[in-house]
Amino acid sequence: MLERSSSDLPPNDRRTAIDGLFDELVEVRSRMLASPSLMTEAPEKFDSGHAGGARNLAHYLSMRARDMRSMQQRLVQLGLSSLGRSEGHALASVDAVLSRLGELTGRTAEAPVSPEVRAFECARQDLEMHTEALLGAPREGRGVRVLVTLEPEVTEDAAVLRTWIDRGMDCVRINCAHDGPSKWERMIAQVRRAEAQSGRRMRVLMDLGGPKLRTGPVVSGPRVLRIRPVHDDLGRVEVPARVWLSPHSRPPMGIEDAFALPVDPLLVEKLEVGDDLEFEDARGSARTLRVIQVLADGAWAETHKTSYVLAGTPLVRGKKRIGEVGEIAPLEGLIHLSVGECLVLTRALDPGHGTRRDAFGRTLELARIGCSLSEVLPQVQVGEHVWFDDGRIGSVVRAVEDGQVVVEITDARAGGEKLRADKGINLPDTRLDLPALTPKDVHDLAFVVQHADAVGLSFVHRAEDVHELSERLAGLGRPNLGIVLKIETRRAFDRLPELLFAALKNPSVGVMIARGDMAVECGWERLAEVQEEILWLCEAARIPVIWATQVLESLAKDGRPSRAEITDAAMSERAECVMLNKGAHVGDAILALDSILRRMQAHQRKKTAMMRPLRLAQGY
């Protein structure tokens, strides 16, 4: 049965309904003012710039602790605010509604209700100020910043970075889990060169690696290079395979769709366009590479047949051997896992392997792989879930014995999945007790405080982690360095209020939603709900949010976006910053994201739909 509108009620019943609303809202307000968070965290404990945000966060949490939906519906029927967009100014929003209800009833609240229009503007100004402090000044026509993850190969050329800046990049991210100080320093130097040319300052965020749980090494495959042309649906060659012949083990930078065959530089000097290099591949099949271009540092060749090439393979031109294939890196090791199979997680980081069977298919030894943080294995319990490689492989713990964990694969594609080394392991059900700062992180901080504008705290899950980082930054002489809390575990999400109150004691803070890990930790079906709640609480705290993981991923990697990721990018406008990851087409992704964010800014701001004139409405 539908609830009757207040306007449909008889006058006396309508007055009673409004009085009831007034009393309910007065109770909500009283609870907000008595918020436990405010009693335990005196305002002076927070950074002066964040005291207002801390107070508002406490008010908002108190308001959201009860079910407001019935009250919201009745407020809307009276033409009043539903309080559904009160994140940044919770108490002022309640006061404004109470004031209107008071005008309808002739009543006043026991506590003086004096809604300040300035409070609404203050919330917006605080968020903008804190965003600029952490991420830099906004661009004209776009308030949301674009953050791009860097890799050493891309930053070899400052011109590439300059192009990215011109297309819309606002700040850069370096992941300290990879490479080291020498490469980080070169990347930052190139960023500074590019920004000097563009005239736009780039903020540098350096993410600490944290206690990331990863798979150990896997026994390598054979030293063979598979060269394969592109075939159509009928198996006919559509595009021949391009092969780069040079002393280098990879094609020239920026070329992703080619193969690199290492050869001696003296062999390259002998080559001419039109030469046919004949060889016998690993299967004993006769194959030919035709040279199509000769350059100073290598030559391009092509072939129409699939080849498996081994190191030392002789290369013949006109029945005369002119050289041989150089050293070929072994294929990346992998473990094939199917539903129902078991996998042993071990403390030892010896190279792992797949299930070993006899000639009749009987299991001789279970598949096994090491775990980068062996100390977590004793904390795992039977029946808990374990996920690998960003949720591609799911499993359940069947046994914990002798420091080893045996899991049964429960989620994988038909035909199985391939597990490789250095892939993430998520333990969403396990209550791990690990500090967010590892010894490596502490060592890396010495570099970070000298070169970065902000530091990302990975795998944070308790207030003590934030306090420890703050103390170490102060000890290193950078107490004002920006801090970004990376929310990437279910435990961190469950403790988000506690983490935010701890972070607000620092002058410059923000939050990154690591949506890939959160999807695995909380379940894909809950991701949308989780990222919404993080956005709400951070807006209440008046601090910026970075929307991360797989934004325009297909476009960045393959040059073509999917419909779903375009919609996702449009939704990201509700954050203060959007992060793009690596890929051969990152420049195109930056340009597309810039355009999407500019368009969406006219339509949406946080949860509020902006009512600019609609072209479709013209003439009506």
Side-chain angles (χ1 to χ4, degrees), residues 335-348:
I335 298 174
H336 192 275
L337 296 169
S338 298
V339 172
E341 281 191 89
C342 285
L343 173 69
V344 181
L345 294 177
T346 73
R347 291 189 176 192

Side-chain angles (χ1 to χ4, degrees), residues 444-491:
D444 291 343
L445 268 179
F447 180 94
V448 172
V449 297
Q450 294 295 323
H451 298 87
D453 300 291
V455 58
L457 183 57
S458 300
F459 299 99
V460 58
H461 64 268
R462 56 187 183 178
E464 290 83 354
D465 297 329
V466 184
H467 297 324
E468 182 185 356
L469 176 60
S470 301
E471 291 169 2
R472 290 191 179 277
L473 292 178
L476 292 167
R478 288 293 303 276
N480 295 329
L481 188 71
I483 295 176
V484 175
L485 306 183
K486 296 178 64 180
I487 307 302
E488 47 200 327
T489 66
R490 190 160 72 192
R491 197 172 181 190

Side-chain angles (χ1 to χ4, degrees), residues 86-222:
S86 60
E87 283 75 18
H89 33 72
L91 187 61
S93 297
V94 170
D95 283 349
V97 175
L98 268 177
S99 178
R100 300 290 83 78
L101 286 173
E103 292 173 2
L104 293 173
T105 61
R107 298 173 58 189
T108 58
E110 293 181 9
V113 177
S114 54
E116 297 184 20
V117 174
R118 185 175 173 276
F120 295 88
E121 185 63 17
C122 263
R124 183 185 64 81
Q125 291 175 347
D126 279 358
L127 181 55
E128 289 178 354
M129 176 181 69
H130 297 144
T131 301
E132 184 164 344
L134 184 71
L135 302 168
R139 289 178 182 257
E140 185 176 351
R142 169 163 64 78
V144 179
R145 280 61 163 184
V146 174
L147 170 68
V148 178
T149 301
L150 300 184
E151 55 183 339
E153 293 78 11
V154 172
T155 52
E156 288 177 2
D157 186 358
V160 173
L161 293 174
R162 169 66 193 277
T163 300
W164 289 3
I165 294 173
D166 292 343
R167 290 186 173 189
M169 180 175 73
D170 300 297
C171 29
V172 301
R173 169 181 172 263
I174 294 174
N175 188 352
C176 294
H178 304 295
D179 307 309
S182 60
K183 288 190 177 181
W184 301 338
E185 191 164 14
R186 285 200 296 273
M187 283 191 277
I188 294 172
Q190 292 290 62
V191 170
R192 299 306 179 209
R193 291 190 187 97
E195 70 179 12
Q197 296 168 5
S198 70
R200 182 173 181 83
R201 176 76 160 81
M202 291 287 105
R203 296 296 173 92
V204 175
L205 166 66
M206 297 191 72
D207 277 358
L208 299 175
K212 176 70 173 178
L213 198 59
R214 291 187 177 275
T215 55
V218 179
V219 173
S220 298

